[in-house]
């Protein structure tokens, strides 16, 4: 399949864990947000990974979203295809 510079390219990451409830899909990208109360910084991170990943995606003209899923979490990263460097 051929793509042109600027066309979107998507990567989907899904798991079989507890997932992201529908009403929390936007909130999960907030800084310092951890959905599971049992998690703390020692066992579950600081709640900065998803906000940083979304900021990086947007800085490169893309987007990172949490999608509906019937089992586990599902995230879609979309980025524009970059122009290939000219061959020497």
């Amino acid at each position: 399949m051929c793509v042109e510079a600027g066309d979107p390219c998507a990567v989907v990451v899904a798991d079989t864990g507890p997932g992201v409830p529908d009403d929390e899909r936007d909130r999960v990208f907030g800084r310092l947000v951890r959905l599971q109360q049992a998690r703390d910084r020692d066992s579950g991170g600081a709640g900065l990974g998803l906000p940083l990943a979304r900021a990086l995606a947007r800085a490169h003209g893309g987007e990172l979203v949490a999608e509906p899923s019937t089992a586990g979490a599902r995230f879609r990263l979309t980025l524009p295809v970059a122009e290939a460097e000219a061959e020497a």
Side-chain angles (χ1 to χ4, degrees):
M1 174 168 76
C2 295
V3 294
E4 298 292 324
D7 285 350
C9 178
V11 176
V12 175
V13 177
D15 67 22
T16 58
V20 179
D22 291 346
D23 61 341
E24 300 280 11
R25 284 198 310 248
D26 288 329
R27 192 173 85 83
V28 75
F29 291 102
R31 290 185 179 157
L32 305 177
V33 170
R34 291 188 301 269
L35 296 184
Q36 294 177 345
Q37 297 294 334
R39 288 191 164 188
D40 58 20
R41 287 186 182 163
D42 293 333
S43 65
L48 294 174
L50 288 173
L52 289 173
R54 178 179 258 182
L56 286 169
R58 288 178 172 175
H60 290 279
E63 187 59 87
L64 176 63
V65 297
E67 295 186 327
S69 175
T70 56
R74 181 180 169 97
F75 294 89
R76 178 179 299 270
L77 170 65
T78 305
L79 293 168
V81 174
E83 283 191 45
E85 292 185 24
E87 293 183 29

